[in-house]
Amino acid sequence: MEVLSWPRLGVILLMILMFTWEGESKLAQNFYGKTCPNVESIVKQAVSTKFSQTFITIPATLRLFFHDCFVEGCDASILIRSPNNDAEKDAPDNLSLAGDGFDTVIKAKQAVEAVCPGIVSCADILAMAARDVVALAGGPSFNVELGRRDGLISLASRVPGNLPQPTFNLAQLNTMFARHNLSQIDMIALSGAHTVGFSHCSRFANRLYSFSASTPVDPSLDPNYAQQLMAACPRNVDPTIAISMDPVTPQTFDNQYYKNLVAGEGLFTSDEVLFTDHNSQPTVNDFAKSPGDFNAAFVNAMVKLGRVRVKTGKHGEIRRDCTTFN
């Protein structure tokens, strides 16, 4: 009988751990097939009910999913409430997240808990809800991979530097998305969610009043669109005022966002740069002409986004209450 030396034994143990980790890390569309088979219909019903109360459910839930995945990974850490106001949701970049997004997930979780207590993670419910709101707004439906666990860390201090800013150029956008294995095409497709988005005036006021010393208005803005924005967002406007990011079909998930970019009607610098930069312009032109190409790219990007730094196996928990660690 061969006696294994410590170095060889160590290598074998490491391989076992690696295979175990890989096995635990796999998401699956039918993850709850035996433990909570009706979870998707339960979530869909809860999301539909919330949508019937306010359209803001759509952009709020989509943005919540994106902000969650880009900080700690898709682990519902964005939902945690802290008595000290130092959780992820309390970071300055997250203070504008609409409460209707949080409420959508919390209501869906309550509905799921009533049928399958302690089985389905808040992270998975957020991923399903993000898919459902896209379909409710007229966008594509798609299958969601499931099996995430809820994260154990939620800190405002970990948010800075992890979310794209409205002033970003193409290189900055690509660098940030590449950290999460998302390509330039994925980034451009995910930006298309702005077709149902809204923004507070402060996020783009620099393009209207202080773009540069010689040119107060960003020259890449269509002049008529700039005048519309100034009328909606005068200087010293109420900071709670928000406007639609797609002025043409603001409540429909479609490819109008890209048509707007071609027309010089991208709200953020980080929107319009997708058209003005020659490296990304061909993709914008394609999506503007072909709703099918955009929908296919968006679905692919959403599936990839949902895989970002997921917690599985022993590396997370199943929260009973999405706003509190167990």
Side-chain angles (χ1 to χ4, degrees):
M1 177 176 148
E2 182 184 3
V3 178
L4 294 175
S5 66
W6 274 112
R8 286 187 66 193
L9 187 60
V11 169
I12 291 170
L13 286 170
L14 180 61
M15 289 177 67
I16 291 171
L17 285 170
M18 286 175 66
F19 282 121
T20 303
W21 169 249
E22 286 179 6
E24 288 180 345
S25 297
K26 290 204 168 91
L27 302 177
Q29 292 176 12
N30 64 342
F31 186 83
Y32 298 107
K34 293 182 179 178
T35 55
C36 191
N38 295 323
V39 63
E40 297 210 43
S41 60
I42 296 170
V43 171
K44 185 176 182 180
Q45 181 56 55
V47 173
S48 297
T49 299
K50 179 67 182 175
F51 170 61
S52 70
Q53 296 163 0
T54 173
F55 175 81
I56 295 173
T57 301
I58 306 289
T61 305
L62 260 179
R63 190 164 176 243
L64 192 65
F65 181 58
F66 182 86
H67 279 230
D68 183 53
C69 293
F70 259 49
V71 178
E72 297 292 347
C74 306
D75 67 351
S77 51
I78 190 71
L79 299 171
I80 291 293
R81 289 178 186 153
S82 163
N84 303 317
N85 296 321
D86 60 358
E88 197 175 303
K89 72 191 289 286
D90 300 308
D93 275 348
N94 285 331
L95 292 177
S96 62
L97 290 170
D100 289 300
F102 294 91
D103 193 50
T104 298
V105 180
I106 291 166
K107 293 279 174 57
K109 172 65 169 175
Q110 290 169 346
V112 171
E113 284 293 301
V115 179
C116 311
I119 300 293
V120 183
S121 68
C122 300
D124 277 345
I125 288 173
L126 176 53
M128 286 183 272
R131 179 268 314 273
D132 292 340
V133 296
V134 170
L136 282 169
S141 188
F142 53 95
N143 293 322
V144 174
E145 296 174 334
L146 303 169
R148 301 165 191 79
R149 291 175 77 84
D150 297 322
L152 304 173
I153 297 170
S154 179
L155 294 170
S157 60
R158 292 170 75 128
V159 175
N162 285 311
L163 292 171
Q165 299 300 307
T167 55
F168 271 15
N169 60 32
L170 185 67
Q172 290 171 309
L173 289 167
N174 279 334
T175 297
M176 182 165 284
F177 278 71
R179 286 186 212 160
H180 305 299
N181 195 34
L182 295 165
S183 68
Q184 177 173 289
I185 289 178
D186 295 330
M187 179 271 292
I188 297 170
L190 290 170
S191 297
H194 285 174
T195 189
V196 290
F198 59 90
S199 171
H200 293 94
C201 298
S202 61
R203 302 285 283 175
F204 57 87
N206 65 302
R207 299 187 72 199
L208 302 176
Y209 303 112
S210 57
F211 185 70
S212 71
S214 59
T215 311
V217 181
D218 185 340
S220 69
L221 269 175
D222 174 79
N224 291 328
Y225 184 51
Q227 290 298 320
Q228 290 176 32
L229 294 177
M230 288 177 179
C233 295
R235 291 178 187 272
N236 304 315
V237 68
D238 181 341
T240 63
I241 296 293
I243 69 163
S244 297
M245 299 189 73
D246 175 357
V248 183
T249 57
Q251 295 195 354
T252 303
F253 193 98
D254 55 18
N255 67 330
Q256 183 63 46
Y257 167 81
Y258 302 101
K259 297 177 185 178
N260 296 342
L261 299 187
V262 174
E265 297 179 358
L267 189 61
F268 294 160
T269 299
S270 58
D271 292 316
E272 195 57 45
V273 75
L274 302 181
F275 180 72
T276 57
D277 192 306
H278 70 275
N279 290 303
S280 49
Q281 189 178 96
T283 303
V284 171
N285 283 328
D286 175 38
F287 290 172
K289 292 173 184 171
S290 174
D293 286 357
F294 163 52
N295 285 343
F298 181 79
V299 166
N300 182 63
M302 282 289 281
V303 172
K304 287 175 67 176
L305 176 62
R307 295 170 181 163
V308 171
R309 293 175 60 196
V310 296
K311 280 72 177 174
T312 56
K314 299 173 183 176
H315 303 277
E317 64 181 10
I318 305 295
R319 285 183 220 140
R320 292 300 184 104
D321 176 347
C322 289
T323 67
T324 311
F325 296 122
N326 287 348

